[in-house]
């Protein structure tokens, strides 16, 4: 039934961090989202060096990481423009 999902087995730890990033971004919690992004990158690198994820997972999570980095490039409170200016 779900043959298209057979090839990629998800990592629960990374998926939990992704869920927190998406939740914090949607609620405009900029500092928390940035911290979660750093945590995601650290855990991803740790799993990669330990060899605990396969090449398909590596490609999937690498794409997610680069997407989040691009999305949150200026996603900080200091870059926020005041509305009264």
């Amino acid at each position: 039934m779900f043959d298209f999902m057979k090839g990629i087995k998800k990592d629960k730890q990374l998926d939990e961090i992704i869920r927190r990033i998406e939740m914090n971004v949607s609620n405009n919690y900029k500092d928390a989202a940035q911290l979660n992004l750093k945590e995601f990158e650290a855990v991803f690198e740790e799993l990669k060096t330990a060899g605990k994820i396969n090449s398909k997972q590596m490609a999937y999570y690498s794409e997610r990481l680069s997407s989040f980095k691009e999305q949150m490039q200026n996603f900080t409170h200091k870059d926020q423009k005041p509305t009264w200016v």
Side-chain angles (χ1 to χ4, degrees):
M1 183 170 164
F2 292 104
D3 290 337
F4 64 93
M5 293 181 70
K6 266 187 178 175
I8 298 178
K9 206 173 200 183
K10 304 271 180 135
D11 184 80
K12 290 181 182 180
Q13 185 178 13
L14 291 175
D15 284 339
E16 172 61 27
I17 299 169
I18 288 172
R19 189 185 65 74
R20 283 187 278 151
I21 290 171
E22 290 172 342
M23 190 170 53
N24 286 327
V25 167
S26 71
N27 289 322
N28 205 24
Y29 298 150
K30 297 177 181 184
D31 295 335
Q34 292 289 347
L35 286 174
N36 291 144
L37 178 63
K38 289 178 184 175
E39 179 187 7
F40 177 70
E41 188 171 19
V43 170
F44 177 61
E45 290 299 322
E46 182 181 309
L47 291 174
K48 248 184 6 181
T49 56
K52 293 187 177 184
I53 55 177
N54 62 34
S55 61
K56 287 183 181 181
Q57 289 172 319
M58 211 176 306
Y60 173 76
Y61 289 116
S62 179
E63 175 62 35
R64 294 299 305 258
L65 178 62
S66 63
S67 173
F68 282 135
K69 280 183 173 181
E70 184 180 318
Q71 177 185 359
M72 291 196 285
Q73 190 171 10
N74 293 322
F75 193 67
T76 61
H77 288 292
K78 71 176 186 169
D79 294 329
Q80 186 174 346
K81 305 282 189 254
T83 58
W84 60 86
V85 175

